[in-house]
Amino acid sequence: MAYPYTVQRGDTLYRIARKTGISLGELAAANPQLEGTVLYPGQVLTIPDPVPRHYEVQRGDTFYEIAKRFNISLEDLLRANPGVDPGRMPIGTRLVLPPSRGMAVVVPAWPYGYPEVTEDLQLLQLRYPFLEVVEIGESVLGKPLPAVKIGEGPVRVHVNAAIHANEWITAAAAMKMVEELSAAYQSGTPLQGKDVRSLLSSVTLWVVPMLNPDGVELVQEGLTAEHPYSAQLLEWNGGSYDFQGWKANIRGVDLNDQFPAGWETERDRRAVSGPGPRDWPGEAPLTEPEVIAIAEFTRNNGFRVVVALHTQGQEIYYTYRGLEPPISSVMAEDFARVSGYTPVPNIESDAGYKDWFIQEYRLPGFTIEAGKGANPLPADQFPAIKREITAIVLESLRRAPEVEAGD
Ligand SMILES: [Zn+2]
């Protein structure tokens, strides 16, 4: 059902479309009187209804989840259904769906963990049916590792986040970026001044938002007596119940020291003798299921550019032993321009994901150290980090078609 909207000071058609969760095209079609005129405050526009007007409650539905799925505020949904008890809705209850006011799916509640990633991916898929979600493998504790695809171009770009447990703010930022890209892709509106539809017609983006969910869970929720690795984790953490410094997976292996690219050199440099919060590369490369999954996923997809999201330092790492192609430094400068981060050549590092990707394919691979401070970074850094990594990823999408495929 269409409803009226009164233009406010500062409104543009673009902002109204964003606010009401419809596309610019739908807004223009519903308001033919606007053609060739200027908006003014107090003017009344027609907002077409972007959602079905009724919904029948299915098994397993909750009131909250339905509100989120249709992008309707809880308050609006309650008001539209005065006879319904949200705590006791029989299957088949017919709900009235009031107009959406453009609520977001990804609301980075703190902490933003694995349950949020999986639920938000489902909700994003309902709202943006062009998104594809696949499982690339499982964590040590059996959590499926999701990857989400957006775009339809022949050139593939990959972004992954939260390979280090206490850097989980990167998962929240990656998920929010996927939502913003999806909204822009669907509506045809630009994101950070970039034409997302055009970019995603030549490039396909695959995002793995949380590579180390067991580790993230440990950092966020702490250790319980029932945890299957309870005794070992306490020992590996030096007897402390404070896991805020934990980067590794649940077996105490640093997943970003696990790739077969100078692994022995990294092991000797780190000189860590066994499992722990960070820097233990394992007994050999590629022993951990999370690393095996991302390596296979990378091998099977022929990515042209990869971006691994970490915190912190506001830095861009783009080299590996001189094996990177010349365009890597050009792209690092692009990334620096849009994010304010600093390109850092020649860091002492081996066995990381980007190191391995560059060595294997001689294509541009990047580690982005987002934000600044002590991990896990606080919630107030989220808006800036999200904006900066989105800017970097948009640049990688823009450059990817120029990158020559390696041999
Ligand atoms: Zn890291």
Side-chain angles (χ1 to χ4, degrees), residues 135-181:
E135 285 171 14
I136 67 164
E138 286 186 356
S139 69
V140 169
L141 296 180
K143 295 183 186 68
L145 304 171
V148 55
K149 182 188 101 167
I150 178 169
E152 55 203 337
V155 176
R156 294 173 183 199
V157 170
H158 170 57
V159 173
N160 64 56
I163 192 171
H164 280 148
N166 65 356
E167 302 175 5
W168 53 262
I169 194 172
T170 57
M175 288 292 294
K176 193 69 195 173
M177 174 186 75
V178 168
E179 179 174 24
E180 291 186 354
L181 286 169

Side-chain angles (χ1 to χ4, degrees), residues 163-164 166-167 247 254 256 309-312 367 369 375:
I163 192 171
H164 280 148
N166 65 356
E167 302 175 5
K247 293 176 117 66
D254 192 319
N256 210 38
L309 300 176
H310 291 249
T311 59
Q312 50 80 43
T367 293
E369 294 286 359
N375 292 328

Side-chain angles (χ1 to χ4, degrees), residues 8-313:
Q8 312 290 308
R9 258 178 76 106
D11 270 349
T12 62
L13 283 182
Y14 171 65
R15 286 183 184 166
I16 295 168
R18 283 286 297 259
K19 250 196 282 200
T20 56
I22 60 167
S23 72
L24 263 179
E26 288 170 322
L27 185 59
N31 295 278
Q33 78 280 10
L34 286 177
E35 212 189 315
T37 66
V38 197
L39 283 183
Y40 56 90
Q43 192 176 14
V44 177
L45 304 185
T46 301
I47 307 297
D49 190 352
V51 296
R53 293 184 53 230
H54 289 94
Y55 177 77
E56 234 169 67
V57 174
Q58 315 285 309
R59 185 177 299 279
D61 279 347
T62 68
F63 201 75
Y64 174 68
E65 194 261 348
I66 292 168
K68 239 185 145 185
R69 183 188 314 169
F70 291 102
N71 196 26
I72 295 166
S73 76
L74 263 183
E75 211 182 20
D76 288 352
L77 190 59
L78 279 168
R79 199 176 302 126
N81 296 279
V84 173
D85 176 357
R88 271 197 46 208
M89 292 187 305
I91 291 166
T93 303
R94 201 167 149 80
L95 293 178
V96 176
L97 299 178
S100 157
R101 300 193 202 189
M103 267 173 68
V105 168
V106 180
V107 181
W110 239 241
Y112 190 86
Y114 183 72
E116 283 75 25
V117 168
T118 52
E119 188 191 312
D120 286 352
L121 280 175
Q122 284 177 17
L123 294 169
L124 284 174
Q125 261 191 302
L126 288 166
R127 185 166 321 158
Y128 303 109
F130 50 79
L131 291 177
E132 191 184 319
V133 177
V134 302
E135 285 171 14
I136 67 164
E138 286 186 356
S139 69
V140 169
L141 296 180
K143 295 183 186 68
L145 304 171
V148 55
K149 182 188 101 167
I150 178 169
E152 55 203 337
V155 176
R156 294 173 183 199
V157 170
H158 170 57
V159 173
N160 64 56
I163 192 171
H164 280 148
N166 65 356
E167 302 175 5
W168 53 262
I169 194 172
T170 57
M175 288 292 294
K176 193 69 195 173
M177 174 186 75
V178 168
E179 179 174 24
E180 291 186 354
L181 286 169
S182 301
Y185 187 58
Q186 184 178 67
S187 64
T189 48
L191 180 61
Q192 297 192 5
K194 298 262 168 44
D195 183 341
V196 171
R197 259 195 201 165
S198 155
L199 288 172
L200 291 176
S201 67
S202 43
V203 179
T204 294
L205 174 65
W206 277 99
V207 177
V208 175
M210 189 175 280
L211 258 173
N212 182 8
D214 300 341
V216 170
E217 185 180 66
L218 178 66
V219 172
Q220 294 182 345
E221 298 174 26
L223 196 57
T224 59
E226 303 80 55
H227 196 291
Y229 289 82
S230 182
Q232 296 98 312
L233 284 166
L234 199 54
E235 188 193 322
W236 297 335
N237 202 38
S240 168
Y241 281 92
D242 179 358
F243 286 89
Q244 296 298 295
W246 195 270
K247 293 176 117 66
N249 78 345
I250 214 66
R251 289 200 286 232
V253 179
D254 192 319
L255 299 179
N256 210 38
D257 279 333
Q258 260 274 292
F259 292 87
W263 180 85
E264 288 83 0
T265 309
E266 184 75 5
R267 179 195 56 197
D268 297 345
R269 178 189 296 124
R270 296 296 198 183
V272 173
S273 58
R278 54 181 295 170
D279 301 338
W280 163 243
E283 299 286 356
L286 294 174
T287 57
E288 300 309 292
E290 298 90 350
V291 171
I292 293 167
I294 195 66
E296 291 222 324
F297 183 64
T298 303
R299 284 199 189 100
N300 293 339
N301 277 285
F303 297 124
R304 198 76 65 83
V305 178
V306 302
V307 179
L309 300 176
H310 291 249
T311 59
Q312 50 80 43

